[in-house]
Amino acid sequence: MLHELFHPDSHDRTAAALLGSDGSQAGGGLLEAARNRLADAEARLQRYQAAIAADVEPEALVDPINQAQTERAAAKAQIKSVPANTTVSRAEIYARIDALGDVCGTLADATTAGMSRLYRALNLELRYEQKSWLSMQRPARV
């Protein structure tokens, strides 16, 4: 799997997947979506105000106005909840992939030093849990 993700021919696909996968990437997809919902809600509120100014019965617009105000408040809250420094650009992702070096070569060689360097670079941890020989035995059939 790592071999496929970090193969030089896959860098574009890997970078695109990383950009769209992370909650911290809200600066990309999620933040943009919240901004679009905010703009849409505010535009609807302006249209409703213009309709009232054009003598549309205000009572007929109470529910749509309440809905737009609720959506505007939710979008503003989502925008506020995104920390400013969490966005990662496409260029930063490519730089991080390049900083890993030849992942495919490291995996193919599978030397202890190379794998250790790769695991540290990827921030992976390997945990060995020894199981006793008895716990691995199949239950006896009766």
Side-chain angles (χ1 to χ4, degrees):
M1 176 99 171
L2 285 177
H3 182 272
E4 294 170 10
L5 288 173
F6 292 105
H7 190 277
D9 294 339
S10 300
H11 284 185
D12 290 337
R13 188 172 49 243
T14 300
L18 290 170
L19 278 170
S21 69
D22 189 0
S24 70
Q25 187 48 36
L30 297 177
L31 186 57
E32 183 178 339
R35 287 180 177 154
N36 289 341
R37 286 193 310 277
L38 176 62
D40 177 62
E42 289 179 342
R44 284 185 286 139
L45 286 169
Q46 289 175 356
R47 285 194 309 269
Y48 300 148
Q49 289 171 348
I52 291 170
D55 291 331
V56 170
E57 290 292 322
E59 294 83 22
L61 297 175
V62 170
D63 289 337
I65 288 172
N66 288 340
Q67 180 67 31
Q69 287 175 333
T70 300
E71 291 172 15
R72 179 177 65 178
K76 283 183 177 182
Q78 185 174 9
I79 291 168
K80 277 183 150 181
S81 72
V82 176
N85 61 352
T86 61
T87 58
V88 178
S89 71
R90 182 175 293 275
E92 290 172 310
I93 288 177
Y94 277 103
R96 290 178 187 183
I97 291 171
D98 290 341
L100 293 174
D102 182 13
V103 175
C104 295
T106 301
L107 292 171
D109 293 341
T111 64
T112 303
M115 295 302 289
S116 179
R117 182 196 61 78
L118 179 61
Y119 285 5
R120 277 193 306 276
L122 291 172
N123 199 26
L124 292 177
E125 294 180 10
L126 182 63
R127 182 174 57 190
Y128 175 74
E129 293 183 13
Q130 182 179 359
K131 294 189 177 191
S132 73
W133 182 80
L134 292 174
S135 67
M136 294 172 39
Q137 296 298 311
R138 293 183 188 183
R141 292 186 183 177
V142 185

